[in-house]
């Protein structure tokens, strides 16, 4: 999805990976949101697409003027046209999931008694092509007191449905999950700050943001936990759980992704980015480090469930954001794109230091400065910090600050 001054509402476009890696990719426009808005007299804001496997069929979300509520319309990404007499959902909060090319699971405003006190859907229905939405069959119902609630098909990394699951948003950060078993919902015995993460190598993965005690074992907050998929489907609360990864001292998980072959985890190690690759081999989880750039912020940008490839976004204070392509089969890491540089970083350096708080906690911080700077208080310094809402400030390119401050001798 691309926006610029000629396309302020944006265009959805595509190109091949080989073309994208070139200096001048050959782009094909799939959906021009500016043209659509002009033709329909609406202030459409593109809200993403939910596509069915490798077919051309997608449900495109469009909000009029950027409202939280959106309209969902079936779109053929091969022809670049909305599907004639296809699925269309009127403006509402909520979303959809594909079951097959003719069936959707829909969580929307179905009328009185279907929205929570927060005005989000808590009813999910199954809608078949050609059926009036009013006749769709109810599949799951949460409670009006939930923040939101819904159900969806749980797919593996081969895009096959393995189970039907539901959730209730009990608060902004807490959820309760259930598994559909024998035509009934089984509530999952999980912490309220834990969730289902995905499926790989016949194992179902969970991520938890609080300690999770299962029998005599306690999995720490931020851990990744696994269970045998078939055992979990047969007995979701009795299936044995195993540890995939737990944070070490001063480590925290920063996203994860599943490819066709492996699980990848991005993490911060004392505010420095790292990445690990995990495989389930001979009944045990085996990890190896991905050789990403050091002393930088590293995040997983995208992953491919049809191959063992993914992309990393990498940035630091003195280097603009770069995009890397990683091949998990060859361990080859290639930089394929970079944002422009706005200042000359030669003669500058970065040091990581620590300040000790009143309770003894060591707080890491970074000092970006001219090399050889005298630590005598004579250099003007811009000092800033932030921490709240579980949002950390991580090293990122100082484009404007670098040009207007660092390049003039500041720190």
């Amino acid at each position: 999805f691309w926006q610029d001054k000629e396309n302020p509402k944006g265009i959805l476009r595509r190109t091949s990976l080989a073309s994208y890696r070139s200096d001048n990719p050959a782009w094909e426009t799939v959906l021009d949101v500016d043209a659509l808005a002009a033709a329909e007299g609406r202030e459409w804001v593109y809200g993403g697409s939910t596509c069915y496997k490798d077919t051309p069929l997608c449900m495109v979300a469009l909000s009029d003027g950027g409202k939280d509520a959106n309209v969902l319309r079936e779109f053929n990404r091969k022809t670049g046209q909305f599907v004639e007499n296809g699925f269309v959902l009127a403006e509402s909060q909520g979303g959809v999931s594909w079951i097959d090319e003719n069936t959707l699971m829909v969580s929307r405003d179905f009328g009185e008694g279907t929205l929570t006190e927060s005005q989000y859907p808590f009813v999910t229905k199954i809608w078949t092509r050609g059926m009036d939405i009013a006749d769709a069959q109810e599949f799951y119902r949460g409670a009006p007191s939930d923040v939101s609630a819904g159900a969806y098909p749980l797919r593996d990394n081969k895009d096959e449905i393995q189970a039907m699951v539901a959730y209730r948003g009990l608060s902004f950060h807490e959820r309760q999950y259930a598994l559909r078993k024998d035509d009934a919902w089984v509530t999952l015995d999980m912490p309220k700050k834990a969730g289902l993460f995905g499926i790989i190598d016949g194992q179902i993965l969970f991520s938890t943001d609080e300690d999770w005690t299962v029998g005599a074992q306690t999995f720490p907050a931020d851990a990744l936990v696994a269970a045998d998929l078939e055992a979990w489907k047969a007995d979701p609360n009795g299936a044995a759980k195993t540890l995939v990864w737990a944070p070490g001292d001063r480590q925290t998980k920063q996203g994860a992704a599943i490819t066709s072959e492996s699980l990848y985890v991005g993490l911060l190690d004392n505010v420095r980015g790292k990445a690990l690759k995990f495989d389930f081999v001979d009944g045990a989880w085996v990890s190896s480090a991905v050789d990403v750039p050091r002393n930088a912020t590293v995040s997983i940008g995208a992953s491919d469930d049809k191959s063992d490839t993914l992309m990393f976004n990498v940035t630091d204070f003195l280097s603009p954001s770069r995009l890397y392509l990683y091949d998990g089969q060859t361990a080859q890491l290639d930089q394929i794109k970079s944002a422009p540089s706005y200042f000359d970083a030669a003669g500058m350096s970065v040091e990581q230091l620590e300040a000790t708080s009143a309770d003894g906690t060591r707080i890491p911080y970074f000092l970006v400065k001219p090399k050889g700077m005298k630590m005598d208080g004579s250099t003007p310094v811009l000092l800033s910090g932030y921490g709240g809402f579980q949002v950390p400030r991580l090293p990122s390119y100082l484009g404007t600050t670098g040009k207007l401050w660092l390049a003039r001798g500041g720190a």
Side-chain angles (χ1 to χ4, degrees), residues 138-149:
E138 183 172 314
F139 185 65
Y140 178 77
R141 177 177 288 260
S145 58
D146 297 335
V147 175
S148 65

Side-chain angles (χ1 to χ4, degrees), residues 205-342:
L205 299 166
F206 310 85
S207 177
T208 180
D209 288 339
E210 61 180 302
D211 289 354
W212 182 3
T213 298
V214 181
Q217 186 173 14
T218 297
F219 303 106
D222 210 25
L224 284 172
V225 180
D228 179 82
L229 175 62
E230 294 304 320
W232 178 76
K233 288 161 62 176
D235 185 3
N237 291 323
K241 309 295 192 300
T242 57
L243 180 67
V244 180
W245 177 85
D249 184 42
R250 316 203 88 181
Q251 288 185 336
T252 185
K253 185 169 77 272
Q254 284 290 111
I258 294 174
T259 67
S260 64
E261 305 296 330
S262 302
L263 164 70
Y264 291 86
V265 176
L267 60 101
L268 286 176
D269 190 345
N270 199 28
V271 207
R272 297 173 186 270
K274 291 185 177 180
L276 298 173
K277 177 182 179 180
F278 291 85
D279 294 288
F280 192 68
V281 181
D282 297 329
W285 287 97
V286 178
S287 68
S288 57
V290 178
D291 189 18
V292 294
R294 299 180 181 180
N295 301 324
T297 298
V298 179
S299 61
I300 298 173
S303 60
D304 184 8
D305 59 7
K306 303 298 184 296
S307 67
D308 195 13
T309 57
L310 68 164
M311 292 181 177
F312 291 101
N313 292 310
V314 179
T315 187
D316 58 58
F317 293 112
L318 301 179
S319 304
S321 297
R322 292 95 70 202
L323 183 65
Y324 288 81
L325 179 68
Y326 181 75
D327 185 328
Q329 297 300 294
T330 64
Q332 180 73 27
L333 183 72
D334 295 320
Q335 179 179 316
I336 58 174
K337 292 294 176 183
S338 176
S341 177
Y342 292 106

Side-chain angles (χ1 to χ4, degrees), residues 9-279:
K9 290 183 171 61
I11 55 175
L12 191 64
R13 60 183 189 173
R14 64 187 168 199
T15 189
S16 67
L17 178 59
S19 178
Y20 183 66
R21 298 181 70 165
S22 70
D23 291 335
N24 296 292
W27 291 104
E28 174 190 358
T29 297
V30 177
L31 176 63
D32 187 330
V33 181
D34 292 273
L36 179 69
E40 298 183 351
R42 308 288 287 274
E43 291 297 323
W44 289 131
V45 175
Y46 177 69
S49 301
T50 303
C51 301
Y52 177 58
K53 293 189 173 182
D54 288 332
T55 74
L57 301 179
C58 301
M59 291 296 288
V60 171
L62 298 165
S63 67
D64 193 3
K67 290 180 284 189
D68 287 343
N70 58 42
V71 172
L72 291 171
R73 296 161 64 176
E74 188 176 10
F75 183 79
N76 187 312
R77 54 184 169 177
K78 182 177 181 180
T79 64
Q81 301 293 322
F82 288 100
V83 177
E84 186 176 358
N85 299 319
F87 290 117
V88 177
L89 287 165
E91 185 176 86
S92 167
Q93 303 272 18
V96 299
S97 300
W98 292 89
I99 296 178
D100 58 44
E101 61 184 355
N102 293 309
T103 314
L104 293 174
M105 294 183 73
V106 181
S107 299
R108 303 291 277 186
D109 179 0
F110 295 111
E112 185 177 355
T114 62
L115 293 182
T116 68
E117 296 167 2
S118 300
Q119 297 301 298
Y120 290 98
F122 69 91
V123 174
T124 299
K125 296 186 178 184
I126 295 180
W127 187 26
T128 302
R129 188 179 298 279
M131 175 189 292
D132 191 296
I133 187 63
D135 298 324
Q137 179 184 358
E138 183 172 314
F139 185 65
Y140 178 77
R141 177 177 288 260
S145 58
D146 297 335
V147 175
S148 65
Y152 59 93
L154 180 66
R155 295 182 179 273
D156 60 22
N157 64 323
K158 308 300 181 185
D159 222 2
E160 299 300 324
I161 296 175
Q162 292 294 334
M164 295 293 182
V165 296
Y167 72 91
R168 293 177 58 205
L170 305 179
S171 71
F172 189 76
H173 291 293
E174 296 177 315
R175 285 190 171 190
Q176 181 185 80
Y177 284 87
L179 172 70
R180 187 77 170 177
K181 187 176 185 296
D182 300 327
D183 296 325
W185 291 104
V186 178
T187 299
L188 300 184
D189 185 11
M190 297 166 54
K192 293 182 176 62
K193 292 184 179 180
L196 305 174
F197 183 77
I199 299 171
I200 184 75
D201 293 334
Q203 298 280 301
I204 182 164
L205 299 166
F206 310 85
S207 177
T208 180
D209 288 339
E210 61 180 302
D211 289 354
W212 182 3
T213 298
V214 181
Q217 186 173 14
T218 297
F219 303 106
D222 210 25
L224 284 172
V225 180
D228 179 82
L229 175 62
E230 294 304 320
W232 178 76
K233 288 161 62 176
D235 185 3
N237 291 323
K241 309 295 192 300
T242 57
L243 180 67
V244 180
W245 177 85
D249 184 42
R250 316 203 88 181
Q251 288 185 336
T252 185
K253 185 169 77 272
Q254 284 290 111
I258 294 174
T259 67
S260 64
E261 305 296 330
S262 302
L263 164 70
Y264 291 86
V265 176
L267 60 101
L268 286 176
D269 190 345
N270 199 28
V271 207
R272 297 173 186 270
K274 291 185 177 180
L276 298 173
K277 177 182 179 180
F278 291 85
D279 294 288

